Amino acid sequence: MEYPDPSALPTELQEAVTKRGSVNVYRMIMHSPGLAPGFLEMADAIFQGNSLPDQLRELAIVRVGHVYRAPYEIHHHENIGRLIGLSEAAIGAAATGSTEALSKEETSILRLTDRLLAHHTLSDAERTEALEFLTVGQLSDLVVTVGFYQLVSNFLNTFGVTTEGETTPY
């Protein structure tokens, strides 16, 4: 799928894409000019307003990318994860689901993410497990993060977004 012609976009969308560099997901989302501003705001909020610890956020996002087989998502969020100190063991566990070398919290985040992806909810016991190390706000942010990256992965896969032509944003 071709990227929209930036010069054909309204000025505010041209500026929104330019401000974010040459990241292809942001370029491709411009096929939805009415939804793109909200998408971009949500993407920003996931990083700037998320109460989850950064490493747990990235662990959940990388897991979503692997479950959805979204190579673009995996590429970017493994790199972001490394930048914020996510261990290679955790990155590997997100790929396989095997949690042998992980902390209790990392193991739980992967299990909770998988449950949300498979069943679209958490059981009472899983909520109790999550609330042993997360606040209610952090649990809410985990659910929103997993849901948002399901949407992102569906979009990336449907439109065949790749890293081709991007400059590294980090």
Side-chain angles (χ1 to χ4, degrees), residues 14-152:
Q14 288 179 24
E15 291 170 2
V17 171
T18 302
K19 176 175 117 176
R20 288 170 175 82
S22 68
V23 180
N24 289 342
V25 66
Y26 297 140
R27 292 174 55 213
M28 191 65 81
I29 197 65
M30 294 304 145
H31 279 298
S32 296
L35 300 178
F39 178 92
L40 296 173
E41 283 183 40
M42 186 66 167
D44 289 346
I46 293 289
F47 283 93
Q48 297 166 8
N50 201 322
S51 64
L52 276 174
D54 293 346
Q55 292 175 349
L56 297 181
R57 179 198 69 222
E58 289 306 311
L59 183 60
I61 294 169
V62 172
R63 182 63 181 154
V64 172
H66 278 288
V67 170
Y68 273 70
R69 296 182 182 118
Y72 182 94
E73 196 62 39
I74 295 164
H75 169 80
H76 280 292
H77 286 278
E78 283 183 350
N79 285 326
I80 293 167
R82 286 182 182 99
L83 284 173
I84 53 105
L86 192 61
S87 71
E88 289 301 321
I91 291 169
T96 65
S98 174
T99 59
E100 293 172 15
L102 302 185
S103 71
K104 181 179 176 183
E105 290 81 11
E106 290 169 327
T107 297
S108 186
I109 288 293
L110 287 179
R111 185 172 38 253
L112 296 167
T113 299
D114 282 347
R115 172 67 183 198
L116 288 167
L117 294 173
H119 300 282
H120 318 290
T121 191
L122 298 177
S123 68
D124 290 342
E126 290 159 336
R127 277 192 300 275
T128 298
E129 171 190 342
L131 294 172
E132 289 176 6
F133 69 99
L134 297 175
T135 66
V136 173
Q138 289 172 325
L139 175 57
S140 178
D141 287 356
L142 172 65
V143 173
V144 170
T145 299
V146 169
F148 181 71
Y149 280 93
Q150 287 178 275
L151 169 121
V152 171

